[in-house]
Every structure is written in C-alpha cells, then in structure tokens.
Amino acid sequence: VQLQASGGGLVQAGASLRLSCAASGRTFSRQTIGWFRQAPGKEREFVAAIFRYNSGSTHYADSVKGRFTISGNNAKNMVYLLMNSLRPEDTAVYYCAADPSMILSSVRDSHSYAYWGQGTLVTVSS
C-alpha cells in the first residue's frame, strides 16, 4: 500500500490543522493506521493510531490526548489527524503508517508498521 500524507503547514500556537493520509494500492480495511512525528534532533514518536481500521479502536500519546483526533473515511480510503490547540512542541514532520497484521500491544511501536508515507511538516510558532 502506498501512503500519502498532506496538510502540514505553519500555524500559530492555539490554532488547528487537519492532516490527511491517503492510501492507494490497497484499502485501509483491517489495516492499523498510525501517525508518528519526528522533531529535529529527536527520535520518531507515536502520536495516534486506529487499530484494525474498521474496529474503531483509537489510541493516543499522552501528549496529544484531548487535543488530537484520529478518524477515517472508509469510502475515500483516507485517515485524518485533526490537531487542535497546537503548541510549539508539536512542531515536527508527521508521518502516517499502516500495517495489515498489527497486534494491539504494538500500535505505538513505529518498527511494527510495514508501510510509510512521506512526511508532512507542521510548524507551530509561539
């Protein structure tokens, strides 16, 4: 499956952005879709995931819980990450990833994802 992330940009603190992840080559059905981010000089970190797409089971990093929402549009084969109340520390390159055989205990582990899209840069100014 090929993934394409988009929607990044430069915003002020407190603003919102919605990132999109489009899939081609295979549908998201039964895939686990995750969003990760990597800030300059830091390791890639988990942001959010939908476990086994049609299950509706969502997971969030503590740092974004209550501010970010992951959702999907099955008909469009898209997954979104709505980011509210953005903070300067949210500045990073955001990646979407997918895997067809994820186990629940591994959804936060970037090494467990087989497919990755290119990143989209989110910059939050103070």
Side-chain angles (χ1 to χ4, degrees), residues 5 22 25 30 35 40 45 50 58 66 71 85 87 90 96 102 105 112 117 121 124:
R30 302 182 67 182
W35 284 98
E45 65 174 359
I50 296 179
T58 58
S71 63
S85 303
R87 304 167 180 169
D90 294 319
C96 62
M102 183 67 66
S105 60
S112 298
L121 177 62
V124 184

Side-chain angles (χ1 to χ4, degrees), residues 68-89:
F68 292 10
T69 303
I70 188 171
S71 63
N73 184 318
N74 206 12
K76 295 184 177 181
N77 218 29
M78 298 280 288
V79 170
Y80 305 103
L81 183 69
L82 176 61
M83 307 185 294
N84 294 323
S85 303
L86 282 163
R87 304 167 180 169
E89 54 263 39

Side-chain angles (χ1 to χ4, degrees), residues 7-17 83 86-87 91 122-126:
L10 171 62
V11 297
Q12 290 189 329
S16 299
L17 273 178
M83 307 185 294
L86 282 163
R87 304 167 180 169
T91 295
V122 173
T123 304
V124 184
S125 62
S126 57

Side-chain angles (χ1 to χ4, degrees), residues 33-53:
I33 312 301
W35 284 98
F36 291 81
R37 66 187 182 187
Q38 188 166 18
K42 294 188 177 181
E43 294 187 353
R44 190 169 298 186
E45 65 174 359
F46 170 77
V47 176
I50 296 179
F51 176 67
R52 293 186 186 169
Y53 187 73

